[in-house]
Amino acid sequence: MALGVSQQVLLIPVFLHFWTSDVLAAWLAIYAAGSLVLIADGGLQIRAINRFLAFKASVDCDGRTGQFYASMMRVYFSLVTMLAALLLIAAWLLPPSRVLGFTATVHFNAAFVVIAVGTLIVLPSNLTSALYRTRGTYARAIWLQSAAMFFAQLMQLLAVIATGSLLAVAVAYASVQVFVAIYLVAFDGPRLFPHLRGRRVSPSLRWCFGQIRLGFPFGFAGAADMALLNAPVLLVSVFVSGRVAIVQWALTRVIAGLVRVLCLQATLPLSAELGHDHAIGARERLRDLYARGSAFVTLLASLTVSALLPFWPDFLALWTHGTIPYDPFLTITLLLGSSAAAPSILALGYANCSNQGDLLVRTKGIQLALFVVLSVLLIPPMGPLGAAIAIVASDLLIQSGFMASVIIRRTLRHPSSHVAFLAAIWLTVVGGGWVVGAVIRRLVPGTGAIHLVAECALWLIVIGLLASPLAIKRVRNGLIAAVPR
């Protein structure tokens, strides 16, 4: 479901055509709340990843993996059943529409329940995905999830065109996710890994609760991350009365979240490989991979943001048919903050895959507390900009300033030089790309889709020419070798 942020981007213009801004705000709130349900995993996926990595260095790797997988799947099924029942009771006793301020929106409660329960049903596929990540087949899971998002997007499109119903869109989205999750767990996983088949297990309650307890630090870190990604949409919905401002915030947050998700997807296989190197004690290879991976993630985020900053106003106007105004301070705050915090995403992934639960709990606890305090103080007087400042400040001060610095000091020989190198990459790429885009916007007059395409094409050509020396192997290898380790 992490890929779901990106698939909402393309549907916004269609939703605005068939829905009012109030209904769109309701859907974005439902989607954010549904994403928060992923917190229910409770760190079990990361716990499984660490165990699967440990089994790779043990005798009878496949046998131990199959036994653990079957036992953990029982834990997942029990957890999902219990939480789904509790969620239905809670939604009946305290309707979500009343809590979030959407009592006038038709079918809001039903759509909320469909998305939330559907997300819970998907959770057991996290265990299969964890096995894919540790066995070198994670690309397959990503392709399946991407296909699911494509078909979910298509089904949502058909639902909104045919019915215009919020509930129909929710059912279309959730049904595809559930179908793919069932395929992963029941068919694809056992086919790729035959040692998963035919396992009959009856884990004790003590063992089950032990896995939940051991997964708690990772679950807490994941919950904090998910809250920081999705809770701002709900907080702005609560504190801000203007629906246009809520949609403006949600759309800008979606594009900033897309930068984060892009970096997260890039670091997932790197994190698993780092965890493997940590488990077998390959310190030199771990150090080299971490340094190069950190530089790569910084470059990826910086390049993406350098393109978004100059052309976001034109894209937003086309995306929303001019109905949602552009807020430069909000956009700049979120995008610069997302790119500056990008290296810490790799540090977070490595901490998860190297069993550093204590560090995660301390860091994420402080970060979440700081975010909540700043949100309560800043959102009422400043609106969405206050939420943006709260997010960026908590990211840079805690996740980057504390956790990433601890990981870098523990991993690399020259941490200060490495941080300075990453800062130089960020300043050069973001500043250079932003300036090039601003000049192009000034020199290329016009409006509309063709104008935006022309601007982007010209930007790509100029950036390609500036980056052309990297095509020379000697230059490329020299830059890679220059990354401080």
Side-chain angles (χ1 to χ4, degrees):
M1 300 276 284
L3 295 173
V5 174
S6 60
Q7 70 93 26
Q8 294 303 304
V9 172
L10 297 177
L11 289 179
I12 296 299
V14 180
F15 287 157
L16 283 172
H17 180 76
F18 289 94
W19 288 343
T20 64
S21 59
D22 286 354
V23 178
L24 177 58
W27 167 246
L28 293 174
I30 289 173
Y31 186 82
S35 298
L36 284 174
V37 175
L38 292 171
I39 293 172
D41 178 85
L44 293 177
Q45 184 187 38
I46 303 300
R47 165 67 180 164
I49 287 173
N50 281 291
R51 295 305 296 153
F52 291 150
L53 288 171
F55 292 152
K56 290 176 73 174
S58 67
V59 178
D60 190 22
C61 171
D62 287 348
R64 296 186 67 183
T65 297
Q67 191 76 8
F68 182 80
Y69 180 93
S71 300
M72 284 294 287
M73 193 58 75
R74 292 286 296 270
V75 175
Y76 265 105
F77 286 152
S78 301
L79 182 66
V80 166
T81 302
M82 180 187 67
L83 292 178
L86 291 175
L87 191 148
L88 291 173
I89 294 171
W92 179 66
L93 294 176
L94 191 61
S97 59
R98 187 189 308 168
V99 176
L100 298 176
F102 291 99
T103 53
T105 303
V106 179
H107 301 313
F108 182 90
N109 291 330
F112 184 96
V113 169
V114 165
I115 292 294
V117 173
T119 304
L120 282 175
I121 295 173
V122 168
L123 286 182
S125 66
N126 286 355
L127 183 61
T128 309
S129 179
L131 185 59
Y132 283 27
R133 284 173 64 176
T134 57
R135 290 300 184 94
T137 55
Y138 188 56
R140 182 174 182 82
I142 291 296
W143 280 111
L144 286 171
Q145 291 173 8
S146 298
M149 287 302 166
F150 171 77
F151 284 108
Q153 187 169 323
L154 181 61
M155 293 297 291
Q156 286 176 270
L157 182 64
L158 294 175
V160 74
I161 292 174
T163 67
S165 168
L166 182 65
L167 178 59
V169 170
V171 171
Y173 176 78
S175 60
V176 175
Q177 306 304 315
V178 171
F179 175 80
V180 173
I182 292 173
Y183 173 75
L184 273 172
V185 173
F187 299 101
D188 199 59
R191 184 179 63 82
L192 286 179
F193 307 105
H195 55 273
L196 300 181
R197 299 174 185 168
R199 298 279 177 174
R200 296 184 179 275
V201 295
S202 298
S204 66
L205 282 176
R206 181 178 180 181
W207 187 90
C208 294
F209 283 115
Q211 302 311 305
I212 294 173
R213 176 181 61 81
L214 291 170
F216 173 77
F218 309 105
F220 181 82
D225 249 5
M226 200 61 65
L228 290 167
L229 185 62
N230 296 285
V233 178
L234 303 179
L235 287 173
V236 172
S237 298
V238 171
F239 287 113
V240 178
S241 58
R243 293 308 179 201
V244 173
I246 294 174
V247 174
Q248 180 191 61
W249 158 253
L251 297 184
T252 310
R253 181 67 179 139
V254 161
I255 205 68
L258 183 59
V259 176
R260 180 180 178 81
V261 169
L262 180 65
C263 295
L264 177 63
Q265 294 299 324
T267 59
L268 285 177
L270 290 173
S271 299
E273 190 64 29
L274 289 167
H276 172 74
D277 292 342
H278 174 82
I280 65 175
R283 297 296 301 173
E284 285 301 322
R285 190 169 66 179
L286 185 151
R287 186 175 293 117
D288 184 64
L289 180 60
Y290 188 92
R292 289 185 289 120
S294 185
F296 169 73
V297 173
T298 303
L299 180 61
L300 177 65
S302 301
L303 189 62
T304 304
V305 167
S306 71
L308 289 171
L309 281 169
F311 304 126
W312 171 251
D314 295 339
F315 178 76
L316 181 66
L318 286 172
W319 193 24
T320 63
H321 309 297
T323 58
I324 304 300
Y326 167 64
D327 187 330
F329 297 107
L330 179 64
T331 303
I332 291 170
T333 300
L334 282 175
L335 289 180
L336 289 182
S338 297
S339 59
S344 67
I345 296 176
L346 181 62
L348 177 64
Y350 172 52
N352 276 315
C353 293
S354 57
N355 214 21
Q356 301 190 49
D358 292 342
L359 176 62
L360 289 170
V361 168
R362 291 198 307 271
T363 300
K364 286 301 176 181
I366 297 172
Q367 184 180 1
L368 186 59
L370 178 62
F371 164 74
V372 171
V373 170
L374 291 177
S375 295
V376 172
L377 292 176
L378 297 179
I379 293 178
M382 301 179 67
L385 181 59
I389 294 172
I391 292 170
V392 171
S394 63
D395 260 350
L396 295 181
L397 293 176
I398 309 302
Q399 182 164 296
S400 296
F402 177 67
M403 187 195 69
S405 63
V406 169
I407 293 292
I408 290 173
R409 286 199 305 270
R410 291 178 179 176
T411 307
L412 303 181
R413 288 197 181 98
H414 307 288
S416 299
S417 299
H418 184 77
V419 171
F421 185 83
L422 297 183
I425 292 176
W426 183 76
L427 288 171
T428 301
V429 176
V430 173
W434 193 358
V435 169
V436 169
V439 172
I440 289 173
R441 282 198 73 206
R442 183 176 294 273
L443 295 179
V444 180
T447 57
I450 295 177
H451 173 250
L452 178 60
V453 170
E455 286 180 326
C456 294
L458 186 56
W459 185 87
L460 288 172
I461 291 171
V462 174
I463 295 298
L465 291 174
L466 292 174
S468 59
L470 295 176
I472 303 172
K473 186 176 181 179
R474 180 170 53 83
V475 175
R476 189 169 60 252
N477 290 341
L479 287 175
I480 292 174
V483 179
R485 290 158 171 78

